[in-house]
Amino acid sequence: MRPKPSIVGTSTIRLRLRRPLNLNIRHHMIRLLCIACLIFMSRPPAQASSIKIDFDSMVAWAPVVALVEIEKGELVKNTKGESCGARYLARVITPIKGVQSNDQLDFGFYTGRGIGEKFFVFLQVGQYVLQRSNQQPQISMSSIPLYLARCSKQLPPYLEVAEGMGTIHVVNGDAVGYKPAIELTNSYHIIPAQLVGSHKYTGQILDDFLFGSVQIETETFVEYLRSLAATAR
């Protein structure tokens, strides 16, 4: 029998030099794709980009809607030392639904809400969300089920809905003369043209909805949410 040819020494080098270029590119693209997947999977779940806020549904589902100012905040852990997110105490500046001016709201659990900053909040009763999560593993516009299971004894009275996307930061809007405003983008929000009104926006309006971004003065947004709350009753 003839011995099998061995691929060693210079033969190995020749084989590597003759490797098709498109195969090298393909392997490189696969490596980049794997790295991108790892980066995506490592992101915290607090801001789920697959969720878009429908303000009509949000106002109807949340028993508490208000413009608030954060007065206190703390990080919370369970008895095993596992993180249970953040808990805030906020004062109601402008009530929209379910509360009155100067009421105190104890809510959580997403981090990043700065003390002294103002937010529009859409809140659901914590125990109600917990009961619903026990009945249905996945609930739209609720809090993360795994968090609820791990931190059920640390739940604040209220939880932010829509995976935290229902809490909207108030900024000094450079597009509205640096007045208090919110920034909306169709990546996260369903923006009706009615809400945009005469405000400057980027993008375009199609089928009565804005596909782009816009800054809305807080007074305009309050009036809009109150009109939704009146309809939802």
Side-chain angles (χ1 to χ4, degrees), residues 64-71 89-105 107 114-121 123 168-171 180-181 218-219 222 226:
V64 172
V65 183
L67 171 61
V68 305
E69 180 178 348
I70 306 294
E71 294 185 332
L89 188 65
R91 178 178 62 87
V92 174
I93 299 174
T94 305
I96 296 169
K97 180 184 177 184
V99 288
Q100 298 180 354
S101 296
N102 295 316
D103 279 356
Q104 297 286 322
L105 292 175
F107 72 94
I115 296 174
E117 295 182 344
K118 297 176 183 177
F119 296 86
F120 282 93
V121 294
L123 305 175
I168 304 176
H169 191 202
V170 174
V171 298
T218 56
E219 292 182 0
V222 166
R226 282 178 172 169

Side-chain angles (χ1 to χ4, degrees), residues 15-223:
L15 286 173
R16 288 178 180 172
L17 288 175
R18 292 175 182 174
R19 190 177 186 179
L21 179 61
N22 61 347
L23 190 59
N24 287 329
I25 295 175
R26 185 183 304 170
H27 282 211
H28 182 64
M29 291 178 66
I30 292 174
R31 287 183 61 193
L32 290 177
L33 181 60
C34 291
I35 292 172
C37 290
L38 289 173
I39 292 173
F40 177 80
M41 293 174 65
S42 67
R43 294 186 309 170
Q47 301 290 330
S49 59
S50 61
I51 294 178
K52 284 193 177 184
I53 295 178
D54 174 355
F55 291 115
D56 296 68
S57 300
M58 289 272 290
V59 172
W61 194 78
V64 172
V65 183
L67 171 61
V68 305
E69 180 178 348
I70 306 294
E71 294 185 332
K72 294 181 181 178
E74 63 176 349
L75 296 177
V76 181
K77 294 184 179 181
N78 64 13
T79 55
K80 296 181 180 180
E82 299 171 315
S83 174
C84 289
R87 189 165 177 168
Y88 305 98
L89 188 65
R91 178 178 62 87
V92 174
I93 299 174
T94 305
I96 296 169
K97 180 184 177 184
V99 288
Q100 298 180 354
S101 296
N102 295 316
D103 279 356
Q104 297 286 322
L105 292 175
D106 184 354
F107 72 94
F109 61 93
Y110 291 92
T111 59
R113 319 307 189 205
I115 296 174
E117 295 182 344
K118 297 176 183 177
F119 296 86
F120 282 93
V121 294
F122 300 76
L123 305 175
Q124 180 56 269
V125 177
Q127 288 301 318
Y128 173 79
V129 175
L130 179 61
Q131 293 170 7
R132 288 286 301 276
S133 70
N134 291 335
Q135 299 169 8
Q136 305 176 33
Q138 299 293 333
I139 314 168
S140 62
M141 292 193 293
S142 69
S143 300
I144 299 175
L146 289 178
Y147 163 84
L148 295 173
R150 188 175 71 238
C151 304
S152 59
K153 295 182 179 179
Q154 286 76 31
L155 285 184
Y158 292 101
L159 293 177
E160 302 168 66
V161 303
E163 311 300 358
M165 298 297 296
T167 302
I168 304 176
H169 191 202
V170 174
V171 298
N172 293 322
D174 56 357
V176 292
Y178 293 95
K179 296 177 182 178
I182 60 168
E183 296 181 335
L184 303 178
T185 171
N186 75 289
S187 298
Y188 304 107
H189 313 96
I190 298 175
I191 311 171
Q194 162 198 356
L195 179 57
V196 175
S198 60
H199 288 80
K200 295 180 181 178
Y201 63 87
T202 59
Q204 56 184 327
I205 293 178
L206 296 173
D207 297 326
D208 295 325
F209 291 96
L210 172 64
F211 292 85
S213 60
V214 64
Q215 288 183 353
I216 305 291
E217 294 176 32
T218 56
E219 292 182 0
T220 302
F221 195 53
V222 166
E223 292 177 2

